[in-house]
């Protein structure tokens, strides 16, 4: 996997009139993972979008080396298409097929995406993320809607991603079981 | 031009009338319905119908082009497709340009086909039909471009369907004046101007649309 690095310096974020956080810095290299912890509404999702380059921070800047994959609450798969075809769209763009057996999706390929449960959608989104082959993973609440088995599987996927030289940033209010996972509490940056 | 083919295939599967992806025949049926209702409203006066029929086809085409606007770009923004494309380095401008092409293909040629039965319904002759067809060929790309621009500007707004319909109408007036105007003058000048306006709009649309979608993402 290509070398990757994610650096953020003195980030500040405002939503509407409210200053969510300020002075947040982080630096991650390949093989490292960081959990952003904090209750709902603290700005975890905003931070993820700023790090992905999809939103401009109020202050500070972000540097990314390497491709970036984003997993958030949207599966980003065509609702009316069968799962197999919806994933094919992304594998054609990314030139990679996703690991379907491992995610337990191979039985669902004929099912239209709109009939999938929350957990199945999440797993399908992970398949899309893996197929993208991006070294930087930005995961926004990756465990939402997953059962215990799928949680273990998701944790295993992130562990493998780190072993392969990628980095991961996990925004979650749930505990994420990963050896060597550092935690950053967003609460300490709120004004 | 990374992803051009995949994007175009996906768009065509979604917008072409009668496809499983939810492309709808409604704009076409709407177009034919207007042409069918018009003689009932005006009365069976062949002279009057022949004089005004071409213009009615133009108005019906414009209104039919408004119908699909709310599903043109907003669903992809809401469902996060534009985010994922941005992360893969696929520019919004490219996506919008592909969408413009697919949108036009999904209604322009079909409207031109439907104009043939419509011309019989409103009772215009072959010569006028020829002018209508050339006019539609020159004008529908412009209508598609206006539709894309309006759809991208109203992307983040709730209940944007009615608003975008209202916004399209003033922008479409020049196309209508020159396109439908060519019917009464019979000259090619109006048609050429229609084509020129269309080309200008098609050239602007990807950049205007791309900028609007990026602005909506910040909100």
């Amino acid at each position: 996997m290509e070398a990757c690095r994610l650096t953020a310096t003195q980030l500040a974020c405002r939503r509407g009139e409210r200053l969510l956080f300020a002075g947040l810095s982080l630096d991650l290299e390949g093989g490292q993972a960081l959990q952003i912890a904090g209750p709902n509404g603290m700005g975890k999702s905003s931070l993820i979008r700023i790090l992905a380059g999809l939103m401009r921070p109020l202050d500070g800047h972000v540097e990314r080396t390497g491709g970036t994959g984003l997993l958030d609450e949207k599966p980003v798969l065509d609702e009316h298409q069968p799962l197999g075809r919806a994933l094919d769209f992304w594998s054609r763009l990314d030139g990679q097929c996703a690991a379907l057996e491992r995610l337990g999706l191979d039985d669902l390929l004929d099912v239209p995406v709109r009939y999938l449960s929350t957990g199945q959608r999440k797993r399908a989104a992970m398949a899309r993320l893996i197929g993208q082959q991006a070294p930087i993973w930005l995961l926004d609440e990756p465990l939402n809607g997953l059962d215990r088995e799928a949680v273990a599987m998701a944790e295993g996927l992130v562990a493998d991603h780190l072993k392969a030289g990628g980095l991961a940033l996990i925004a979650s209010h749930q505990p994420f079981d990963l050896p060597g996972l550092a935690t950053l509490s967003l609460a300490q940056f709120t004004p | 031009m990374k992803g051009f083919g995949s994007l175009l295939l996906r768009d065509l599967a979604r917008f072409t009338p009668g496809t499983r992806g939810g492309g709808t025949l409604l704009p076409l049926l709407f177009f034919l319905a207007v042409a069918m209702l018009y003689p009932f409203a005006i009365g069976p006066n062949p002279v009057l119908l022949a004089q005004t029929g071409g213009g009615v086809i133009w108005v019906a085409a414009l209104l039919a082009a408004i119908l699909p606007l709310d599903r043109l770009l907003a669903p992809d923004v809401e469902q996060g497709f534009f985010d994922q494309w941005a992360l893969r380095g696929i520019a919004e401008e490219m996506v919008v340009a592909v969408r413009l092409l697919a949108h036009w293909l999904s209604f322009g040629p079909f409207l031109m086909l439907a104009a043939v039965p419509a011309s019989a319904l409103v009772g215009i002759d072959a010569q006028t039909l020829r002018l209508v067809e050339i006019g539609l060929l020159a004008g529908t790309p412009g209508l598609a471009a206006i539709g894309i621009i309006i759809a991208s500007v109203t992307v983040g707004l709730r209940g944007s369907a009615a608003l975008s319909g209202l916004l399209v109408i003033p922008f479409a007036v020049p196309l209508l004046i020159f396109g439908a105007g060519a019917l009464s003058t019979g000259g090619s000048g109006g048609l050429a101007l229609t084509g020129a306006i269309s080309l200008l709009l098609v050239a602007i649309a990807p950049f205007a649309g791309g900028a609007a979608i990026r602005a909506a993402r910040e909100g």
Side-chain angles (χ1 to χ4, degrees), chain B residues 39-174:
Chain B
F40 288 117
I42 286 299
N45 180 344
V47 182
L48 190 61
L49 278 176
Q51 271 176 355
T52 54
V56 169
I57 290 186
W58 261 95
V59 172
L62 195 164
L63 295 178
I66 291 176
L67 289 183
L69 287 193
D70 58 326
R71 31 194 304 279
L72 216 45
L73 289 163
D76 277 354
V77 172
E78 280 158 25
Q79 292 172 21
F81 278 89
F82 275 94
D83 293 346
Q84 293 291 338
W85 287 323
L87 288 172
R88 285 162 173 80
I90 298 173
E92 287 78 12
E93 282 78 4
M94 221 259 303
V95 180
V96 174
V98 171
R99 187 65 45 95
L100 171 59
L101 178 61
H103 173 46
W104 181 75
L105 285 174
S106 73
F107 87 94
F110 292 97
L111 276 190
M112 289 173 66
L113 273 181
V116 177
S119 73
L121 289 168
V122 298
I124 56 177
D125 56 23
Q127 172 62 18
T128 315
L129 175 63
R130 203 176 65 91
L131 279 178
V132 168
E133 291 285 7
I134 299 174
L136 285 179
L137 181 63
T140 45
L143 284 183
I146 295 171
I148 286 273
I149 295 173
I150 300 295
S152 61
V153 170
T154 55
V155 122
L157 304 177
R158 253 166 301 175
S160 63
L163 176 65
S164 45
L166 270 181
L167 285 173
V168 164
I169 290 169
F171 282 102
V173 165

